[in-house]
Amino acid sequence: MYSYLDYINRVIIPWDEGKYVNHSCASNSTGLLEFDNISIALRDISPGDEIVEDYYCYFGHFESFDCRCGAPNCRRNIKQDNSYRADLRLSLYDVPPLLLSLPQPLPAIRSSENDDFLRVLHSCALTA
Ligand SMILES: [Zn+2]
């Protein structure tokens, strides 16, 4: 329930607040195409707002349920099988200037994936 599949079918169980991200068909956050475990806000998220992602941006998730998000584009029924839609994700190559202009907490969280992410992010910014 609190996990999803990444691009090589590893079961990802977020150790942080990511495990509390619920689904909405009108999400305010999504994953990156190039780094499965990095989420990016799609718009400003105010303190107290729930962070929601469209579960169809995940390679796999483990729930089928009736959605009651109230969005005009609500799919009503979220299915766990064959739901991945790459178009719901952002590309890292489209976001470096904005990402680098805002405070980023990732450098304090050391992991090889975060290090790779930051290295590519800075590389993209240099070529943009
Ligand atoms: Zn919905």
Side-chain angles (χ1 to χ4, degrees):
M1 169 179 258
Y2 296 109
S3 59
Y4 60 93
L5 297 174
D6 72 1
Y7 66 104
I8 53 174
N9 283 330
R10 294 179 297 187
V11 176
I12 304 298
I13 303 171
W15 56 268
D16 59 6
E17 288 80 2
K19 66 182 168 228
Y20 301 117
V21 173
N22 285 316
H23 167 85
S24 173
C25 301
S27 59
N28 57 18
S29 176
T30 192
L32 288 175
L33 284 167
E34 299 84 358
F35 290 89
D36 186 50
N37 301 320
I38 304 287
S39 289
I40 302 291
L42 293 170
R43 57 182 182 267
D44 289 342
I45 300 171
S46 300
D49 285 354
E50 181 178 11
I51 297 173
V52 288
E53 296 192 349
D54 189 324
Y55 283 4
Y56 283 26
C57 79
Y58 301 151
F59 291 94
H61 60 90
F62 299 102
E63 296 176 276
S64 293
F65 56 92
D66 292 329
C67 183
R68 295 183 202 97
C69 73
N73 63 334
C74 181
R75 289 186 205 89
R76 309 278 185 246
N77 186 272
I78 306 302
K79 298 180 177 143
Q80 75 178 87
D81 298 329
N82 302 319
S83 57
Y84 177 65
R85 286 188 39 201
D87 62 305
L88 294 173
R89 290 182 169 235
L90 293 175
S91 171
L92 174 64
Y93 298 95
D94 295 331
V95 295
L98 183 58
L99 278 181
L100 291 171
S101 70
L102 301 169
Q104 298 295 324
L106 279 178
I109 304 170
R110 302 306 306 239
S111 74
S112 62
E113 188 168 28
N114 285 351
D115 290 346
D116 289 346
F117 166 71
L118 291 168
R119 189 171 26 261
V120 173
L121 178 63
H122 285 281
S123 168
C124 290
L126 290 175
T127 58

